Amino acid sequence: MVIQWSDNPGFTKADRMRFIFTSSYTGASTGMNTLEGLEAMRMWPTYTAGVNIGLGDFSAAATDPQERLDILTCRVRIRRLPTDPEDATLNKFMVVDNDGVVHWRNLGNSDCEWTLQGTLGSNSNLSTAYLLNTGCPQMDKGVGIGIQIPKAKLDVLHNDFTGGLDPMAIQGSVTPNDPDVTFLGVLGLSEVQGNSTTVGYESFGVYGRAKNSRTMHGVEGQAMMADDQVGTEAIGVYGKATANTQASYGFAVGVYGTVSTPVTTNAWAGYFQGPVQITGSLYHGSSFIFSDESLKTNVQDLPNMADQLAALAPRSYSFTPEAQQRLMLPSGEQFGLIAQDVENVLPQVVSSTHVPAVLDSLGNEVAPALDLKAVNYVALIPLLIAGYQQQQATIAQLQNQINQCCASQGSSMAPQGEGNTKSASQNEGDVQEERLLVQPNPFTDHTTLQYYVPKTGKVSLQVSSSDGRTLGTLLEEQADAGAYSYEWNTTQLSPGTYFCALVVDGNVVVKRAVKVAR
């Protein structure tokens, strides 16, 4: 290696010192031309800022060192750092610009960056935009991640989903390692400081809004437990409202749902697939429906509902396996009504609902959409009450008429050739217990009135309409004690509800008879 001065035409004297290899460092060859040109270091006096020292082949790069220490290529390595303890009082750190020039800057927040709080090091907290921040932003500013102008205290925007990233702006996760500690993936707090009657209008701990997608969930919660795990609760969404008994409040709701779309578009404030349980100590688990007088107009008494109620057909049934799995419906024998049957009689209590299709994460349809009919069983309650009241009024009226011996003596409704017969094979025990049976019931054109006479006396069979009008006497005679039957031809009657009365020496038994259309 030689040290060579180089003349610069721009100066009056030699101004560069070059360190150049002239032979192989292995000693395998000698001579001035073996590694000539491999410049190891150059020293260049700038006359204004001292001497710049450069490491590298500046001849090949056709340039000079531009800094006090200028490394042309490769990297810098410090094999051994000082063993002295960290100096917590230092407040500067080294940075490198785009040209590779080393600079220094403060650790503080002088340029609106984050601030390390507490002891510097791995246990320090990173903070910004807090009250009395020595740098900026201050308390009234926001922090944006992925967005230039934040619209909240912390505004996170994620719109680049390349590289297989899930479309999530914020994700919180906690790995439990203590069975006695509550773990929270995300905690939202919205607390009003001061008098709540004068400060703030609404307070939301967590607020979710979904917009302009095929399937939108403002807030979704899932509770999943592996098959080999043991737990006591799995709750997807849990709502709790707590109010002090001494505080003045008028509304405390654990979970509140509302819908702004008209109900005719199949919109629900609450939609549940599966059994629903309601418990409560104050109202004993009751579910209340608004029924205040101030909310209603055009209030009318219900008409006679006997015919409509008689036309309803309660059934026993079981849900299909597909329905049990898709809609989480119960298994086993069930009791209720068929919506299509009810719609023919009381369309007001039947509605149509749409169950959306089930899609996987890629948007593929796993289960098709369903269009179903549902029955408002709650709406049937006032109809049943009205029917019961009307029936009781009719029975009371019939009993009063018979007790006063005011029954009509009109022509018999029994066609010629029909009458009562004493049945030797009749199960007298059953008839004695019921005194009067209508079998079958309901019926179409014919039915049988089975009755029992406990002792010899005057017997009468009479028929009235559902509104209490006496239609006639089927039978009136003196009969011995025993069981009898009467074949009743009802072809002259319209479908509807009727009442049959058995009068034996002033004692009355009334049974309802329902004729249905063929």
Side-chain angles (χ1 to χ4, degrees):
M1 182 178 68
V2 299
I3 302 176
Q4 181 185 72
W5 287 98
S6 175
D7 294 333
N8 187 336
F11 295 93
T12 58
K13 64 177 182 178
D15 60 346
R16 290 172 177 80
M17 179 180 291
R18 302 169 62 202
F19 295 82
I20 305 171
F21 282 94
T22 60
S23 63
S24 174
Y25 61 87
T26 62
S29 61
T30 59
M32 294 296 292
N33 60 349
T34 56
L35 289 178
E36 172 60 32
L38 180 57
E39 182 179 343
M41 183 174 69
R42 176 176 298 194
M43 302 177 65
W44 178 35
T46 63
Y47 296 100
T48 57
V51 178
N52 290 347
I53 300 176
L55 299 179
D57 193 346
F58 283 86
S59 292
T63 184
D64 288 309
Q66 303 299 315
E67 303 294 338
R68 180 65 70 210
L69 176 62
D70 193 342
I71 300 175
L72 186 63
T73 58
C74 297
R75 298 175 296 188
V76 176
R77 172 179 294 178
I78 301 176
R79 292 284 184 175
R80 182 176 180 182
L81 292 173
T83 58
D84 296 336
E86 177 185 5
D87 191 343
T89 62
L90 297 180
N91 58 2
K92 294 180 175 63
F93 60 95
M94 296 178 62
V95 296
V96 180
D97 61 20
N98 293 334
D99 295 329
V101 179
V102 177
H103 305 272
W104 66 269
R105 66 183 306 168
N106 287 325
L107 284 172
N109 203 24
S110 59
D111 292 328
C112 302
E113 298 293 340
W114 299 84
T115 300
L116 287 172
Q117 303 287 358
T119 303
L120 300 181
S122 60
N123 294 327
S124 299
N125 295 319
L126 194 63
S127 62
T128 189
Y130 55 91
L131 186 63
L132 301 180
N133 186 8
T134 56
C136 60
Q138 288 289 342
M139 187 68 174
D140 58 342
K141 299 298 189 295
V143 177
I145 301 177
I147 186 171
Q148 288 184 323
I149 303 177
K151 299 179 177 60
K153 193 65 179 177
L154 175 61
D155 195 346
V156 181
L157 174 64
H158 179 27
N159 56 9
D160 182 7
F161 307 125
T162 59
L165 297 176
D166 292 330
M168 293 184 294
I170 298 177
Q171 174 177 319
S173 60
V174 177
T175 303
N177 55 11
D178 189 335
D180 298 324
V181 177
T182 300
F183 292 87
L184 305 175
V186 176
L187 174 63
L189 296 176
S190 179
E191 300 180 356
V192 176
Q193 302 296 326
N195 190 338
S196 60
T197 61
T198 59
V199 179
Y201 173 68
E202 289 182 312
S203 181
F204 299 94
V206 175
Y207 179 84
R209 181 173 63 180
K211 186 178 180 181
N212 297 338
S213 62
R214 183 171 52 228
T215 300
M216 292 165 284
H217 298 170
V219 175
E220 177 174 338
Q222 295 185 1
M224 296 179 290
M225 189 175 300
D227 295 337
D228 57 347
Q229 299 296 315
V230 178
T232 57
E233 288 183 324
I235 301 174
V237 176
Y238 180 84
K240 182 179 181 180
T242 303
N244 191 295
T245 56
Q246 304 300 321
S248 176
Y249 68 97
F251 206 48
V253 181
V255 176
Y256 181 88
T258 183
V259 60
S260 59
T261 306
V263 295
T264 55
T265 61
N266 194 49
W268 312 88
Y271 187 93
F272 301 91
Q273 287 190 183
V276 177
Q277 177 174 310
I278 301 175
T279 60
S281 57
L282 182 59
Y283 297 113
H284 308 290
S286 300
S287 177
F288 292 88
I289 299 176
F290 286 124
S291 189
D292 192 87
E293 183 180 11
S294 63
L295 304 176
K296 303 176 181 179
T297 185
N298 193 27
V299 178
Q300 303 289 335
D301 291 335
L302 286 176
N304 194 311
M305 302 303 300
D307 293 343
Q308 290 91 330
L309 293 176
L312 295 179
R315 308 285 181 87
S316 65
Y317 53 87
S318 298
F319 289 112
T320 65
E322 295 79 10
Q324 295 178 37
Q325 181 179 7
R326 174 72 182 278
L327 303 178
M328 300 182 66
L329 296 175
S331 60
E333 186 180 20
Q334 308 296 319
F335 304 99
L337 302 169
I338 305 300
Q340 285 77 1
D341 295 344
V342 178
E343 190 173 27
N344 294 330
V345 181
L346 296 169
Q348 305 93 321
V349 302
V350 178
S351 63
S352 299
T353 183
H354 178 79
V355 179
V358 179
L359 306 178
D360 60 18
S361 58
L362 300 178
N364 300 317
E365 185 177 281
V366 178
L370 301 176
D371 291 306
L372 305 174
K373 292 185 180 295
V375 175
N376 184 358
Y377 282 91
V378 176
L380 292 175
I381 296 177
L383 303 182
L384 294 173
I385 294 175
Y388 172 78
Q389 293 175 339
Q390 294 158 4
Q391 175 180 286
Q392 290 301 108
T394 300
I395 293 175
Q397 183 180 9
L398 287 173
Q399 290 179 337
N400 183 59
Q401 291 176 354
I402 295 173
N403 290 336
Q404 295 180 6
C405 298
C406 295
S408 172
Q409 299 298 321
S411 60
S412 174
M413 296 183 63
Q416 187 174 358
E418 293 190 354
N420 65 315
T421 59
K422 184 173 181 180
S423 174
S425 61
Q426 178 71 36
N427 187 337
E428 295 190 9
D430 294 341
V431 179
Q432 289 179 28
E433 181 179 354
E434 293 291 342
R435 290 293 177 93
L436 177 62
L437 297 175
V438 182
Q439 294 180 341
N441 191 19
F443 50 87
T444 54
D445 294 335
H446 294 82
T447 189
T448 300
L449 303 182
Q450 299 180 10
Y451 59 96
Y452 178 76
V453 178
K455 63 180 180 178
T456 301
K458 185 178 181 181
V459 177
S460 176
L461 289 175
Q462 302 174 6
V463 178
S464 298
S465 63
S466 60
D467 57 1
R469 293 182 297 107
T470 301
L471 299 180
T473 301
L474 299 177
L475 169 73
E476 188 171 43
E477 65 179 6
Q478 190 75 16
D480 295 331
Y484 296 83
S485 64
Y486 181 87
E487 300 298 326
W488 183 19
N489 187 332
T490 63
T491 55
Q492 301 178 23
L493 299 179
S494 300
T497 301
Y498 300 89
F499 291 95
C500 298
L502 169 66
V503 184
V504 180
D505 286 339
N507 297 316
V508 181
V509 178
V510 179
K511 292 293 183 179
R512 187 180 68 171
V514 179
K515 179 178 179 179
V516 295
R518 179 181 293 273

